[in-house]
Amino acid sequence: MQSIKSLSTTVIVLLCCLTGLLAQPYRPSAAINARVETLLSKMTLEEKIGQLTLYTTDWGSTGPTIREGYKDDIRKGACGNLFNSHSTAFVRELQKVAVEETRLKIPLLFGFDVIHGYKTIFPIPLGEAASWDLEAIEKSARVASTEASAAGLNWTFAPMVDISRDPRWGRVMEGAGEDPYLGSRIAEARVKGIQGKKLGDPDAMLACVKHFAGYGAPMGGRDYNTVDMSEKYFREFYLPPYQAAINAGAATVMTSFNDYDGIPASGSKFLLDQILRKEWGFEGFVVTDYTSINEMVMHGVVANDKEAGELALNAGVDMDMQGGIYQAYLKKSLQEGKVTQAQIDEAVRRVLRLKFELGLFEDPYKFCNAEREKNTLLAPAHRAAAREVARKSIVLLKNDQEVLPLKPSQKIALIGPLADNKTELIGNWNGAGNFNDCVSLKEGLSGANMQYAKGCELDGADRSGFQEALRIAGQSDIIVVAVGEKANISGEATSKTQINLPGVQEELVLELCKTGKPVVVVLMNGRPVVIPGIAEKANAILETWWLGTEAGNAIADVLWGKYNPSGKLPMSFPRSEGQIPVFYNEKSTGRPFDPNSKWTSKYIDESNSPQWPFGYGLSYTSFAYTTPKASVETATTRGIPSGKQVKVWVSVTVSNTGKVAGEEVVQLYIRDLVGSTTRPVKALKGFRKIMLQPGESREVRFDLTADDLSFYRSDNTFGMEPGEFDIMVGGSSNDVKSVRIRVN
Ligand code: GLC
């Protein structure tokens, strides 16, 4: 059939540039400021310090409880903020104490880690990042905020935007992977989803950008460990997503546990004043991470808790999470002149502004509507959204002989410790999620001509289940085996030196591969894993992360071909731990790898390349790219200030050369061939996710800005340098076509 040549030229203006222009950091209005001043003038010092204090409630068998003494603290005005307290009934009970039993009736903030859903659980953030679908990611955050705010909450400790190239660090599951450009766009989407149309709406919560800053680069990949790198490198590769979140209007920021350049983040004027306030113009408030003021004593930069509090307030920390240090020592520090009244007042202003913004003074119980709570949590529309986002998050890593999608006539052997499992599907940091609400993979495949065997456990050396697994495999046409990680081995304080599959899971898969039947591996994990045997022997591999409440349905949709997988990796998968950190935007070095020379940058026992690179993901169809064209061979930027377009655009025509419709993430990378500081061999500067019907072609255009071509130069200024640039476009960081331009 004559292929459809609807070459509809789609000129795609760089929306993120426009969005960037439209988005603004949070700015309080004059009216809010006036109300704050009036209230501030009435407050005692104790009441002011209470607004700078945040305590957790306890976790009882049926959920959060209030620790004895906190209600008295609230009554005295000594605690103005709580976290880990949710449900309308519990929040109403505690808010009542604040607004009816205190002198000034200042409402409480209620915070919680709503990281990838509140009750309806969405894919873990690293999984959502694999969708490269900013609308879907914003939708996910919007649903999470809608549910959480219906359950009494008005503040979430999200988005986590820490860039990381080190999968030994278990918290990669909470972020958006290794790239600052993708991480920045996703940070914006999440802030917009969390904060909704405007603060003060009943379904809007305060976002909290964390962990500021550089927490994702701990030495050795060991959680909480030291972070140290040059300021140029820090600014180019690690800071952008925090700034993007601030520019998207994020109301609060959380400091990180780590030190940077020898100073713990909670005591760093460079981070909290120079960068955050002076350079980025942030006007929200800064909260610490859990007792991270106290921990500055262990860091060894202060001798005791009191000095830690003084260092923190002088650096720019507004609120003390769980440390109790501001409550215990600030009054004395003030009396001794170690801190000033002005500093305390400014911190209190920042907190009160956002309580006014939320509308809490007009209606302290606005987030406590039990009817709304009942009708909102796990609403069918939310489950449908979770299934949609989950499908988009799945990455097809391998599909030899096109064994996928499954065919209805096939007899399936469903095997593996995660095939009939719900408990792990909601992953770590799962909010108020209940795994019993999940759809397992076995349930998602219900109705298929299928036998099931567990095969082995998620860890341990018991191989007794192999025999039954091999028996049903022998009776099947195709094997689907679900393996991966327990939800509690990726996340906080879960750094690992080995990131293979625990136990005998990979061995089970390899035994199944020996049967000669086609083997489809479904991975469920929170971090990139090292699986060389599976990578070599399996016929097909789906990376499904922890997909949340609708996991089983989403995976089944992809297995049956109801949804053509479109995910792309947001983080490189190493071949072995010895390569870590392995990432796409590396520098050339003076001796770039050359297979024909001994004296080049390489390992003698492993390849330099990852098992699967950043931006990689297959489809059930195929795509072809023309060589990109640039609007000019030589562009001039004289007089065009940074951030404005350099009047250069690059276009490429993408065609669906397969038999089924599919989405492709068209990625734009640049390389600055000569710079006054060493430049990465490629850097992501744009992407578009487009749907193409079989045979359809479409032109995709990227407008380049001066910022896209700029970097921190040898004199530490940010800007562009004239010279040649390679502009690359493709469907993966390791599969691009290039055009060279010159910029004068
Ligand atoms: C934890 C985490 C942080 C979280 C906070 C409150 O230690 O580091 O991400 O938001 O405490 O739960």
Side-chain angles (χ1 to χ4, degrees), residues 256-522:
S256 55
F257 289 119
N258 59 283
D259 60 334
Y260 167 72
D261 197 20
I263 311 288
S266 300
S268 168
K269 265 181 103 66
F270 170 69
L271 291 177
L272 304 182
D273 187 49
Q274 172 60 33
I275 300 273
L276 199 53
R277 303 286 180 189
K278 292 189 168 64
E279 292 185 21
W280 296 354
F282 177 61
E283 292 197 33
F285 72 73
V286 173
V287 61
T288 68
D289 202 339
Y290 202 103
T291 66
S292 58
I293 296 179
N294 315 52
E295 292 166 16
M296 293 202 281
V297 176
M298 294 309 289
H299 273 288
V301 292
V302 288
N304 54 55
D305 283 352
K306 176 175 171 293
E307 287 180 20
E310 288 154 6
L311 179 62
L313 190 72
N314 280 303
V317 168
D318 300 308
M319 191 184 289
D320 170 6
M321 178 192 283
Q322 196 59 19
I325 285 185
Y326 279 8
Q327 194 186 54
Y329 300 106
L330 272 195
K331 184 172 182 177
K332 190 165 173 17
S333 300
L334 178 65
Q335 286 160 351
E336 294 173 357
K338 303 286 179 57
V339 298
T340 67
Q341 186 65 56
Q343 286 171 321
I344 292 173
D345 288 353
E346 186 52 22
V348 175
R349 281 191 190 93
R350 290 167 178 158
V351 176
L352 293 179
R353 278 181 193 136
L354 288 167
K355 292 189 175 184
F356 277 108
E357 290 285 4
L358 286 168
L360 287 172
F361 286 88
E362 283 70 24
D363 177 6
Y365 303 109
K366 69 189 290 182
F367 298 96
C368 299
N369 179 323
E371 189 63 19
R372 180 168 90 127
E373 181 180 41
K374 186 164 67 66
N375 297 332
T376 304
L377 305 192
L378 277 174
H382 295 172
R383 291 193 79 124
R387 180 171 182 165
E388 187 56 28
V389 176
R391 303 189 324 178
K392 293 178 174 215
S393 304
I394 294 172
V395 184
L396 179 59
L397 296 176
K398 189 177 182 184
N399 193 20
D400 285 358
Q401 300 92 36
E402 296 192 335
V403 294
L404 284 178
L406 301 175
K407 299 161 188 65
S409 60
Q410 287 177 307
K411 285 184 286 185
I412 299 167
L414 178 63
I415 295 167
L418 287 168
D420 186 22
N421 174 292
K422 293 176 184 261
T423 51
E424 312 307 333
L425 298 184
I426 54 178
N428 208 324
W429 290 109
N430 48 48
N434 183 331
F435 62 78
N436 290 310
D437 297 323
C438 285
V439 177
S440 71
L441 175 55
K442 186 163 180 273
E443 288 167 340
L445 287 171
S446 63
N449 181 357
M450 176 170 76
Q451 293 186 74
Y452 162 72
K454 191 172 189 178
C456 70
E457 297 304 327
L458 277 167
D459 50 26
D462 180 0
R463 296 171 176 79
S464 59
F466 281 29
Q467 188 178 352
E468 174 60 8
L470 291 165
R471 185 187 68 77
I472 70 164
Q475 297 171 352
S476 70
D477 300 317
I478 190 163
I479 300 162
V480 175
V481 53
V483 292
E485 291 185 311
K486 277 185 177 177
N488 65 6
I489 68 165
S490 276
E492 185 173 359
T494 64
S495 293
K496 296 178 73 187
T497 59
Q498 305 294 325
I499 52 174
N500 54 350
L501 297 186
V504 294
Q505 298 183 81
E506 187 160 21
E507 193 179 322
L508 169 67
V509 173
L510 297 180
E511 286 304 310
L512 293 168
C513 292
K514 288 176 187 168
T515 65
K517 300 288 176 80
V519 174
V520 176
V521 174
V522 176

Side-chain angles (χ1 to χ4, degrees), residues 14 78 82 112 177 274 287 297 344 369 589 601 636 691-692 741:
L14 205 51
L82 288 170
F112 190 43
Q274 172 60 33
V287 61
V297 176
I344 292 173
N369 179 323
T589 80
S601 183
T636 177
M691 167 64 84
L692 291 176
I741 64 170

Side-chain angles (χ1 to χ4, degrees), residues 83 113 157 171 210-211 254 257 289-290 321 429 492:
F83 67 115
D113 292 286
F157 304 134
R171 300 200 76 166
K210 68 185 186 182
H211 304 81
M254 181 186 293
F257 289 119
D289 202 339
Y290 202 103
M321 178 192 283
W429 290 109
E492 185 173 359

